[in-house]
């Protein structure tokens, strides 16, 4: 089967499509023939080892010191179940599913194994594979941070970096929770985030939200330029900070503060089912920056590296519905 192999850390061109052995599902795994996947900010960060300050050594130690230990990247996929392990009871060949392997990676390939108990859900009729996969990275991240940050109906939330994969899902899911949403993004994306439900939009090139005198119950930083030290004066008493991205020192400091939520989002089947059911009802819309054939994965990495992608970059395989 074909897979995109990252031969070393470096620019997009270090990713090469090669023939590799197909995986064989274990007893409790399903084998999925991929129809769509994404190149997300995590893939691009790992490929380039472009990680926040202080994180380079921990990332090298966990992902590979001189080059990636798991050379096939890709966090998530959509596709059709091709085969199931002997002990699998919840899925059968032919099921259309969306799934994440998280930091196990491996989804930039034609065939992928996923644990039956992992983050995997059926794709409802009426939701395409590419829409399903487009929603998941940002959607699951936002759901996890909102849950840990106890975002509640009637609260105000400011979302910094509202137009990326996480931001576009966060805006919609926060509105769905019943929160009043202020989105921070460039002017070019103001109409998009308003259309997703944002009540207020701040163009960061014109206004610094930390200096306008307004306060929020929850602030979410998806860009990494709004650490706790900068935003704490913009939190209401009892307010919480959702640090989706932060450097090593900010992450260590966060462990000592009860009102800061940080770390890696947990990906669960429950959240995947929630995302699929919202999408089926039209209450969560995918935001897809671009759709490229799998063969153009290097181009997809370049787009993510631009830092300007809007929502998700989706890659499709031949038989994508
Ligand atoms: N903790 C976790 O588990 C977790 C999970 C997922 C992602 N992440 C991290 O979260 C971050 C966001 O991920 P993503 O996939 O959403 O990224 P992304 O899609 O690459 O975000 C791109 C967006 O960033 C915005 N942006 C650029 N400069 C900005 C600025 N100065 N202020 C505010 N926004 C700005 C851009 O919007 P404009 O063009 O409108 O400026 C662009 O649309 C990444 O660093 C990723 O590594 C962490």
């Amino acid at each position: 089967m074909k897979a995109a192999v990252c031969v070393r850390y470096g620019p997009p061109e270090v990713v090469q499509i090669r023939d590799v052995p197909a995986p064989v599902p274990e007893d409790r795994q399903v084998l999925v023939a991929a129809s769509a996947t994404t190149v997300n900010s995590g893939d691009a960060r790992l490929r380039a080892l472009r990680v926040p300050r202080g994180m380079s050594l921990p990332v090298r130690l966990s992902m590979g010191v001189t080059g990636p230990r798991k050379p096939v990247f890709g966090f998530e996929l959509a596709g059709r179940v091709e085969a199931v392990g002997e002990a699998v009871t919840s899925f059968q060949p032919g099921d259309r599913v969306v799934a994440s392997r998280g930091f196990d990676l491996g989804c930039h390939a034609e065939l992928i194994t996923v644990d039956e108990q992992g983050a995997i859900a059926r794709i409802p009729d009426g939701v395409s594979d590419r829409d399903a996969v487009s929603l998941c990275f940002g959607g699951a991240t936002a759901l996890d941070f909102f849950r840990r940050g106890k975002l509640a109906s009637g609260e105000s939330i400011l979302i910094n970096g509202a137009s990326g994969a996480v931001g576009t899902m966060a805006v919609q899911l926060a509105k769905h929770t019943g929160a009043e949403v202020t989105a921070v993004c460039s002017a070019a994306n103001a109409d998009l985030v308003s259309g997703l439900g944002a009540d207020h939009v701040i163009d960061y090139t014109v206004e610094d939200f930390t200096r306008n005198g307004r306060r929020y119950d929850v602030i979410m930083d998806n860009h990494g330029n709004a650490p706790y030290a900068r935003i704490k004066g913009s939190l209401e008493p009892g307010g919480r900070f959702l640090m989706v991205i932060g450097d090593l020192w900010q992450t260590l400091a966060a462990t000592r503060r009860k009102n800061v939520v940080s770390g890696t989002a947990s990906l669960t089947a429950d959240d995947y089912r929630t995302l699929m059911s919202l999408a089926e009802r039209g209450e969560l819309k995918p935001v897809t920056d671009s759709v490229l054939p799998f063969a153009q994965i290097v181009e997809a990495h370049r787009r993510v590296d631009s830092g300007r992608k809007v929502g998700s970059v989706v890659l499709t395989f031949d038989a994508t519905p």
Side-chain angles (χ1 to χ4, degrees):
M1 69 160 187
K2 301 262 186 258
V5 177
C6 181
V7 294
R8 59 183 169 84
Y9 297 123
E13 294 71 26
V14 300
V15 180
Q16 297 169 5
I17 294 186
R18 292 185 175 171
D19 284 312
V20 302
V24 177
E26 293 172 8
D27 280 0
R28 294 191 173 280
Q29 287 187 323
V30 300
L31 180 71
V32 183
S35 59
T37 182
T38 63
V39 175
N40 66 32
S41 49
D43 294 308
R45 278 187 181 286
L46 282 180
R47 188 214 71 234
L49 258 193
R50 188 177 50 244
V51 291
R53 206 166 43 106
M55 295 289 196
S56 180
L57 183 61
V59 171
R60 274 188 196 266
L61 289 176
S62 68
M63 302 309 290
V65 176
T66 54
R69 207 175 291 130
K70 295 172 187 162
V72 178
F73 291 170
F75 285 74
E76 60 246 329
L77 73 141
R80 211 170 271 282
V81 174
E82 186 88 354
V84 298
E86 280 184 9
V88 168
T89 53
S90 333
F91 295 95
Q92 54 188 30
D95 286 347
R96 221 155 53 87
V97 294
V98 63
S100 172
R101 286 173 48 101
F103 279 95
D104 282 344
L105 305 172
C107 295
H108 290 166
E110 290 175 323
L111 289 165
I112 299 127
T113 52
V114 182
D115 290 344
E116 181 190 21
Q117 304 298 329
I120 177 167
R122 283 196 182 70
I123 303 174
D125 292 343
V127 178
S128 70
D129 288 17
R130 60 179 70 173
D131 282 354
V133 84
S134 173
L135 292 166
C136 281
F137 180 70
T141 302
L143 283 178
D144 180 74
F145 272 84
F146 289 171
R147 183 167 45 241
R148 288 191 285 144
K150 299 185 171 56
L151 178 68
S153 179
E155 288 194 312
S156 56
I157 180 170
L158 177 137
I159 298 170
N160 184 50
S163 51
V166 179
T168 53
M169 295 301 114
V171 168
Q172 297 181 76
L173 292 165
K175 279 307 290 177
H176 193 262
T177 304
E180 179 179 347
V181 176
T182 299
V184 180
C185 62
S186 63
N189 293 320
D191 286 348
L192 168 82
V193 294
S194 296
L196 296 175
D199 302 284
H200 317 280
V201 181
I202 293 176
D203 172 357
Y204 57 77
T205 64
V206 175
E207 183 180 336
D208 178 348
F209 77 86
T210 64
R211 290 169 179 264
N212 64 10
R214 288 188 208 119
R215 288 172 182 267
Y216 304 89
D217 297 306
V218 177
I219 294 178
M220 177 186 220
D221 180 23
N222 298 317
H223 186 64
N225 62 348
Y228 185 73
R230 190 178 152 218
I231 63 87
K232 62 185 179 196
S234 303
L235 282 177
E236 292 281 8
R240 286 87 71 207
F241 176 48
L242 313 184
M243 189 176 75
V244 177
I245 181 81
D247 68 26
L248 181 63
W249 320 116
Q250 292 155 359
T251 304
L252 291 175
T255 59
R256 295 194 301 273
R257 293 193 184 101
K258 284 208 173 74
N259 65 338
V260 179
V261 176
S262 65
T264 304
S266 306
L267 305 170
T268 68
D270 268 355
D271 283 349
Y272 269 54
R273 284 191 285 265
T274 300
L275 294 170
M276 287 306 107
S277 124
L278 289 170
E280 184 181 23
R281 300 200 301 268
E283 293 170 21
L284 185 65
K285 297 197 178 359
V287 177
T288 302
D289 178 273
S290 38
V291 180
L292 294 166
F294 181 58
Q296 289 181 28
I297 189 166
V298 170
E299 192 50 41
H301 272 272
R302 285 193 194 113
R303 178 62 186 152
V304 182
D305 276 6
S306 75
R308 293 266 84 87
K309 79 177 168 71
V310 179
S312 298
V313 172
V314 172
L315 292 176
T316 58
F317 295 79
D318 287 346
T320 304

